[in-house]
Amino acid sequence: MTTTHTVTDSPYGPLTLVAEDGVLSRLYMENQRHRPPQETFGEPDDGGPFPEVIRQLGAYFAGELTDFDLDLDLRGTDFQRAVWDQLRHIPYGETRSYGELAQLLGNPGASRAVGLANGKNPVGIIVPCHRVIGSKGSLTGYGGGLDRKQRLLAFEKGAGEDALF
């Protein structure tokens, strides 16, 4: 397996994109919780999937793209992948609670497990784990930090970065 990476700028700080055999598999924010050491990202490379990923991220941050269309190599347990699939179905500008996602997965008692799987999402922003909130509408954990989560949600609502919460 060949692992490569590139770094691109965003309004939320530098994003490190990692590909396995030419398919995007991870996206890391600066100072992200559980960010592995840089040496695990493979060789620097601006080719592979990165130009299209960067183009779509740029369109998203410009407010021109609301749904990513990218091949992803998401590695995790069956349950994690099921949660990540549900995340991709949360519409732009909307949120769901962990409990709502557990219901959609047919396991209403699994909201904590959904939260843990959400926290292991390897491709934040593109797989929009920032759209998941607490049952009473509160902001809860986000690997990129609650400030970024708040800013992303406000951006998607079109209300400006300081309007929510």
Side-chain angles (χ1 to χ4, degrees), residues 44-131:
D45 183 5
D46 293 331
F50 301 128
E52 181 60 14
V53 174
I54 292 168
R55 185 193 71 74
Q56 288 191 35
L57 283 167
Y60 169 80
F61 293 129
E64 300 164 357
L65 180 80
T66 60
D67 192 24
F68 291 92
D69 183 23
L70 296 166
D71 289 332
L72 301 174
D73 181 6
L74 303 179
R75 298 180 185 185
T77 67
D78 290 343
F79 182 77
Q80 287 171 330
R81 288 194 315 273
V83 170
W84 302 335
D85 183 58
Q86 285 299 318
L87 296 176
R88 296 183 83 182
H89 290 93
I90 302 172
Y92 180 91
E94 295 185 22
T95 58
R96 299 290 182 271
S97 72
Y98 298 100
E100 288 173 314
L101 289 178
Q103 290 277 356
L104 289 169
L105 290 165
N107 194 347
S111 59
R112 279 189 87 127
V114 166
L116 291 172
N118 194 52
K120 295 285 187 179
N121 172 19
V123 186
I125 300 173
I126 293 169
V127 175
C129 54
H130 61 278
R131 295 180 188 156

